[in-house]
Amino acid sequence: MVERRMNSLVKWALILFVLVSIILNIVLIAVHSSRATKCSAQRVHPLRGKHDDRSLVFADLTREEYLQVQQYMVTQKDLNISTKRLTKPSDNFLFLIDLSLPKKADVLAYLEGKAAKPVREATVVVFYGAGGYIKEYVVWPLPNPKHIKDVTKERYNMDLPINARTVTVGEYALLFKLFEVEVFSKLKKLMKESFDVSESKTLNAFEQMPRGVRSGDRKTWVSFFRDESGMYIHPVGFEVLVNHESVNESDWRVERLLYNGQYFDTVAELREKYDSGSVNKIVYKEMLNYASLKPQHKPLQIGPQLFYAEGKRYSVKNNQVLYLDWSFAFGLSSLTGMRVFDVRFRDERIAYELSVQEAMSVYGSVTPGMIITKFLDSSIGIGRFAHELVRGVDCPYEATYVDTYRYIDVPAPVRFRNSICIFEHNMGQPLRRHFSDFFHNSYGGMVNSALVFRTITAIGNYDYMWDFIFYQSGSVEAKVHATGYISSSYLVDGSLRHGHQVAEKVLGNIHTHFINFKVDLDVLGVKNVFQTKDMEYVNVSLPWMPDQYAMVPQLVEKELTTEKEAALRYDKKSPRYLHIASREVNKWGHQRSYRLQVFSFTGDHLPESQADERAMSWARYKVAITKHKDLEQTSSSLYSQNNIWTPAVDFSKYIEDNENIENEDLVAWVTTGFLHIPHSEDIPNTVTVGNGGGVLLRPHNYFNEDPSIHSADGVYIKPGAEDSCDNNRMACLAQDVCSPVLEPFTYHGFDGVMKFED
C-alpha cells in the first residue's frame, strides 16, 4: 500500500515537472521571440556622408573586364599567347592581368571635379618562353579594350629575362613529373624503407628560394615532407637540387641530392650507397600527426559574439566604405595585396594611398633547402592567396564580407568569395577616460570602437592577417599578424645553431619577417614637409634658486629636406616622432601634421655586401621618405624573387637621386616586422599573439582638440545621475529589446572618492 502510494506521488511529481518545464520553455521562447522580432538589422542613425561613385577609379577589375582583356590579348595573333593552365615554359603564357593605377595627378583632378575620369587600364604580364623574355603591357580603355602598349622598359629601365618569371602551375606540373620519373622511380627501395612511399602514398615538395646563387640561375633545392596535413613541420631528411634553367623540360636534370645530412652527385650514387649499406639510413616510423589542427577535444562552447544594437554604423557600396567620420576606397592587388585609397576624415583627405608592398623572410639553416632561403612574397602574389574568410573565426560572424576576382596563373578569372571582411569592433579598452577623485567628482570616458578592414593571405606555410583600422580619434593603423606553420628542416649535425628542435628530428629554423607598407599621406594637400621630434636633457638653473641646477627634458625639432636625410635606417638611432606636416597651422600656431608611429621587433637586415640584398633594400629603413613619382609605384616587384641578384626594382635607387622633399608630395615607405626563433609552442601552429608589427598614423596638432570628444559614444556620469541615460547610453542598454540578457547597469564609483571634510 505504501509502495503504491509512493509510486503515485512519483508519477504526479514527474507529470508536474514536465508541465512546468513546458510552460517555462514556452515563456522563454515567447520572450526571446518578442526581443528578436524587434531587433532590426536596419541602421537606426543615418550615415554622416554619402557614397560617391568616383571611388570606382580605384576599383579592382571586374570579371567582365578580365575576360575582355584576356580575349583582346589572345586575338593579338603576332603575340601567339596561350592561356592554358598547363602551358609549358617554352610557350608564351598570359600570366597576370591586374588593374593599372592611373596617375595620381589625374585622379586628384577627377576627384576634385576639375577633370574627366582617367582612362581605365589594365596591366598584362606575358612570359615569352619561346623568345626568352618577359613583357609588361598596358591595355586600354576598359571596358572594351582597343589599344596595347609595351611598358617594360618604361617601368623597369631594363629587359626582363625569362628566368625572372614566377614558377607557374605548368612548370610545377613538369617538375613533379621529373621527380617521379628521375628520382622516386629509381629509388623505390629507399623511398619505401625510409619514407613509406608507395603507389598510394607519396611525399610533398617545398622549395628553396632564390633559385641559385647568381643571375641566370634557375637551380632549385626542393625539400620533401610527409604527405600529412601541416606537412611543413614533417621534413623527412631528403632534398634534391634540380636544374630547370632551360625553358625546355627535356634539358632539366637532377644535380645533387641530400639524404640524412649526406650529399650525393647523382641518383645512381645514392641508390648504390644505400643498397651497399654505406649510408646512415633513415628508417620510417609511424607517428601521430602532431601538425593536425583538428581540435583535440570536441568544441562545446561558442565564445563571445559581436552584435550591433542599433544596426551597422558603416556602409559598403561598390569599393567604398563609409564609417562615422571616415570614408575610403579599397582594392586587393593580386601581387601586393590589400590597399585603400582616398582616405578621408570629416571629408578631408588624410592619405591618398595606404597599401601593403612586400613580405620578406630570411632563413638560417645548415641544410640546402633553407640555408640561403629568402622569400619575397609579392613575387608569388600576396593578394593572390586571399581565400574565403571563416565567419566567427577569421572575422566576427556579423561582419560584412566582400568577394574579389583575380587573374594570375589561371585560364580564367577566379572568384574568391568573402575574401575581405569589414566590421566595427570594440577594441576592448576605453579610447579615453578619466575618473575625477579630488575635485568636481565625475567620470568621463569613451569606448574604443573602431572599423576594421581585413583580409588574410595564406602564402604556403604562413598566414598573414592584414588589418587597416580606423579609429574615432582620427588615427589609422596598418597592422599585420603572422600565423600558420613554421618552415622546418630535418635535424642533422649543426642544426641547433639555426633554431630549436620542435619535434622528433625536426628543427624550427630561425628567420626574420620584414613587412613593407606604402603610406602616401596628403596632409591638407600635396605640399608637405618631413619633420622629426624628440627629446634631450638640458642642465638648467632653477629660476627661483639660480645656484641650483636640474636636468630637464627639452623638445628637439628638425625638418629634413632631402631624401637621403629622410631615409632612417634600422641600424642607426632615429628620432621617435616622425611627421608628414603641412605648412598650415592649428589654432595654437603649430604645424598640422600626421605622425608615423612604427611598432616593430625586426631582426637584423641582410648585410648590404650580399648580392641579393638589393632586391630587398627597402628593409634597410624603418621609414624612408621620397618624393612621389608615378613610376615609383612599388618597393618590390613580381620579378624580385627569381632574379634577386639583378632586381627589376631596387628601392635604394629611389633615394640615390636625393631629391628635395620640402613642400613636395611625399610618400613614406614603412618597414616593420619581427624576428622569429621557433619554439615548441609553435607546434602545431604559430599564434598571432606577439607575432606582428605595424604603423599607426596619428594626428599631431592636426586638430585643435581630440575629435573623438564629438563622438556619440562618449559617456559622462555625475554624482546623483548614475542611472541617467542622458549622457550614458550604457545605463539603459540592459532594457534595450535588441540586447542580449545583460546585468542591469550600476555605478558606485563615487562611493570611495577622497573628501576634504568630516
Side-chain angles (χ1 to χ4, degrees), residues 190-197 201 203 226-228 234-236 259 281-290 490 501 503-505:
L190 179 152
M191 301 301 289
K192 178 62 179 175
E193 293 177 353
S194 294
F195 314 126
D196 198 32
V197 170
K201 193 172 183 181
L203 294 176
R226 290 194 182 201
D227 186 20
E228 303 261 16
H234 282 297
V236 299
Y259 173 82
K281 294 183 179 181
I282 299 170
V283 178
Y284 180 78
K285 179 182 177 181
E286 284 285 354
M287 62 178 67
L288 290 174
N289 184 10
Y290 50 81
Y490 195 72
Q501 182 172 352
E504 187 173 346
K505 300 297 286 185

Side-chain angles (χ1 to χ4, degrees), residues 66-80:
Y66 280 124
L67 290 171
Q68 289 175 2
V69 173
Q70 181 195 47
Q71 185 59 32
Y72 178 78
M73 293 299 296
V74 170
T75 57
Q76 308 303 303
K77 298 300 183 184
D78 56 321
L79 301 183
N80 191 25

Side-chain angles (χ1 to χ4, degrees), residues 164 276 299:
S276 66

Side-chain angles (χ1 to χ4, degrees), residues 54 66 561:
R54 285 178 292 184
Y66 280 124
T561 59

Side-chain angles (χ1 to χ4, degrees), residues 342-356:
D342 194 25
V343 179
R344 297 175 182 238
F345 187 81
R346 296 181 178 173
D347 206 34
E348 282 188 339
R349 183 178 301 109
I350 303 299
Y352 179 77
E353 177 183 354
L354 175 59
S355 58
V356 180

Side-chain angles (χ1 to χ4, degrees), residues 86-357:
L86 297 182
T87 298
K88 292 185 176 182
S90 55
D91 294 331
N92 302 335
F93 180 54
L94 199 167
F95 177 72
L96 172 74
I97 303 172
D98 209 350
L99 174 70
S100 181
L101 288 169
K103 293 181 178 179
K104 181 177 179 179
D106 295 342
V107 174
L108 291 180
Y110 169 63
L111 294 177
E112 293 163 8
K114 299 176 181 177
K117 183 179 181 179
V119 175
R120 191 157 165 83
E121 300 175 336
T123 290
V124 180
V125 176
V126 179
F127 297 161
Y128 286 98
Y133 53 84
I134 300 169
K135 290 288 186 184
E136 280 197 14
Y137 299 98
V138 166
V139 171
W140 81 96
L142 299 180
N144 306 314
K146 297 179 178 64
H147 306 286
I148 183 172
K149 179 184 178 183
D150 180 354
V151 293
T152 313
K153 280 286 187 69
E154 177 185 338
R155 289 182 174 179
Y156 303 110
N157 200 31
M158 64 182 291
D159 293 320
L160 297 173
I162 192 63
N163 276 1
R165 74 188 185 280
T166 301
V167 174
T168 63
V169 171
E171 188 171 358
Y172 277 123
L174 293 171
L175 284 168
F176 296 154
K177 182 179 178 181
L178 179 142
F179 293 135
E180 186 61 44
V181 172
E182 298 298 328
V183 181
F184 297 168
S185 67
K186 296 179 179 180
L187 294 171
K188 285 186 176 180
K189 181 181 178 184
L190 179 152
M191 301 301 289
K192 178 62 179 175
E193 293 177 353
S194 294
F195 314 126
D196 198 32
V197 170
S198 63
E199 289 187 4
S200 60
K201 193 172 183 181
T202 186
L203 294 176
N204 290 332
F206 191 57
E207 58 198 319
Q208 157 260 319
M209 301 179 205
R211 306 176 190 282
V213 295
R214 62 183 65 86
S215 286
D217 278 357
R218 202 172 181 84
K219 300 179 180 181
T220 305
W221 274 103
V222 178
S223 303
F224 290 94
F225 296 77
R226 290 194 182 201
D227 186 20
E228 303 261 16
S229 65
M231 54 160 267
Y232 305 101
I233 50 176
H234 282 297
V236 299
F238 184 51
E239 302 181 15
V240 175
L241 176 63
V242 59
N243 183 330
H244 52 128
E245 288 176 1
S246 173
V247 294
N248 297 307
E249 71 273 17
S250 60
D251 296 330
W252 296 356
R253 61 191 181 276
V254 172
E255 292 196 342
R256 298 294 294 277
L257 303 95
L258 179 75
Y259 173 82
N260 202 13
Q262 186 174 345
Y263 287 92
F264 303 89
D265 290 330
T266 64
V267 173
E269 181 191 1
L270 172 55
R271 182 177 62 236
E272 178 189 339
K273 291 187 175 178
Y274 183 88
D275 290 345
S276 66
S278 56
V279 298
N280 186 15
K281 294 183 179 181
I282 299 170
V283 178
Y284 180 78
K285 179 182 177 181
E286 284 285 354
M287 62 178 67
L288 290 174
N289 184 10
Y290 50 81
S292 174
L293 296 182
K294 185 177 181 180
Q296 295 190 10
H297 301 283
K298 184 178 180 180
L300 297 174
Q301 294 181 326
I302 294 176
Q305 298 295 303
L306 176 71
F307 80 101
Y308 297 98
E310 297 182 330
K312 293 175 179 176
R313 304 196 295 183
Y314 63 88
S315 174
V316 183
K317 180 184 177 185
N318 298 322
N319 70 319
Q320 188 184 43
V321 178
L322 303 181
Y323 167 63
L324 301 179
D325 290 318
W326 288 102
S327 69
F328 60 89
F330 65 85
L332 185 69
S333 162
S334 291
L335 299 184
T336 58
M338 198 164 77
R339 55 193 186 184
V340 293
F341 299 94
D342 194 25
V343 179
R344 297 175 182 238
F345 187 81
R346 296 181 178 173
D347 206 34
E348 282 188 339
R349 183 178 301 109
I350 303 299
Y352 179 77
E353 177 183 354
L354 175 59
S355 58
V356 180
Q357 290 292 299

